[in-house]
């Protein structure tokens, strides 16, 4: 979605839908439907500086591409939110610019978009596209053996990098016993050689040498998944009404819990003290033992929350919304992007 909110000084102000938040090296990156942004956070002053990252977005647009698509530039500057016709430019490159996933690999960042897979070297600023993975990337994950799992709208590609070369090992599809080819989440165990996969038709687990074991047969539509501390339990959220949390414990016993305090859940992530953060129409936390849900009431008017990230380095919860930008929760303080709110 591209939402042109206002025009200030001849430049369009575009409020993006936020899909993914991730720390890559020293940078906190935000993947949106109009490219990648960087975050500067000052928790003491309650301030967020959201920057359109020109280097990170250099993979999707250049002057030659613009001319080939017969777009007349109304400003000499291509990258950054300065061209008057930025909305037109972004719409032309909407698949390559729609960032769905980010993964750090050494001094590089792997970028998943609706138009394919890109690897960018953060030191040299060079980037590379990968084929035949020229499809809608939904999620990226690296397992305990440094294999890269590339979830798409039509199954999973698994491989590893040698320098900038991607060596594919295998592909998993519905013919490989996946519940569905539409991959919603991939969660790699931090200590064991196992990978959990959530689809729109259920969950399965891959153990060892890529042998698939289906562990949950109900045809539930998964939205997200995560391991709790120490990799003990894995949790998935669903698109049921009311939404559900599914927990697989150490013995792989399946437990299902309704979360009636929230209408829907888009993402979940663990935080210290054995809690999960949930986001959807609300931002909330849940105790993994008591299952008590606490809603962060100060943010209720800013739904829909789309993406979550807990930054251990700064001990704060970062959440991204559909049109209201970024919000931060650190301790009892909650703050967001006031500039964007002022445009509403």
């Amino acid at each position: 979605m591209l939402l042109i909110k206002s025009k200030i000084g001849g430049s369009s102000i575009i409020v993006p839908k936020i899909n993914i938040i991730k720390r890559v090296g020293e940078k906190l990156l935000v993947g949106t439907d109009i490219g990648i942004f960087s975050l500067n956070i000052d928790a003491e002053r309650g301030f967020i500086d959201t920057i359109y990252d020109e280097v990170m977005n250099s993979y999707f647009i250049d002057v030659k591409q613009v001319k080939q698509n017969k777009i007349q530039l109304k400003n000499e500057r291509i990258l950054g939110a300065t061209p008057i016709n930025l909305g037109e430019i972004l719409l032309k490159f909407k698949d390559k610019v729609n960032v769905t996933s980010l993964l750090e690999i050494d001094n590089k960042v792997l970028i998943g978009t609706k138009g394919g897979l890109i690897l960018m070297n953060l030191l040299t600023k060079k980037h590379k596209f990968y084929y035949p993975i020229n499809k809608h990337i939904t999620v990226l994950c690296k397992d305990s053996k440094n294999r890269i799992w590339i979830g798409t709208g039509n199954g999973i590609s698994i491989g590893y990098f040698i320098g900038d070369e991607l060596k594919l090992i295998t592909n998993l599809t519905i013919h490989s016993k996946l519940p569905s080819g539409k991959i919603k989440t991939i969660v790699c165990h931090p200590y064991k050689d196992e990978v959990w996969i959530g689809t729109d038709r259920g969950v399965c687990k891959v153990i060892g040498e890529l042998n698939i074991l289906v562990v949950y047969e109900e045809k539930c539509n998964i939205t997200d998944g995560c391991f709790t501390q120490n990799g003990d339990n894995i949790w998935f959220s669903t698109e049921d009404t009311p939404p559900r949390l599914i927990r697989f414990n150490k013995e792989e016993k399946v437990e299902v819990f309704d979360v009636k305090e929230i209408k829907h859940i888009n993402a979940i992530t663990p935080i210290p003290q054995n809690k999960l953060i949930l986001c959807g129409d609300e931002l909330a936390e849940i105790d993994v033992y008591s299952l008590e849900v606490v809603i962060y009431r100060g943010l209720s008017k800013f739904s829909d929350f789309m993406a979550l990230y807990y930054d251990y380095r700064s001990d704060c919860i970062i959440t991204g919304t559909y049109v209201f930008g970024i919000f931060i929760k650190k301790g009892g303080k909650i703050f967001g992007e006031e500039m964007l709110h002022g445009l509403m």
Side-chain angles (χ1 to χ4, degrees), residues 3 5-6 15 302 323-324 338-344:
L3 180 62
K5 296 304 300 175
S6 177
V15 185
F302 297 121
V323 294
F324 285 96
E338 297 304 325
M339 182 197 76
L340 295 183
H341 304 161
L343 295 173
M344 302 306 290

Side-chain angles (χ1 to χ4, degrees), residues 225-240:
C226 67
F227 276 102
T228 49
Q229 291 174 324
N230 302 318
D232 289 340
N233 298 318
I234 184 167
W235 295 75
F236 291 98
S237 55
T238 77
E239 286 192 10
D240 299 302

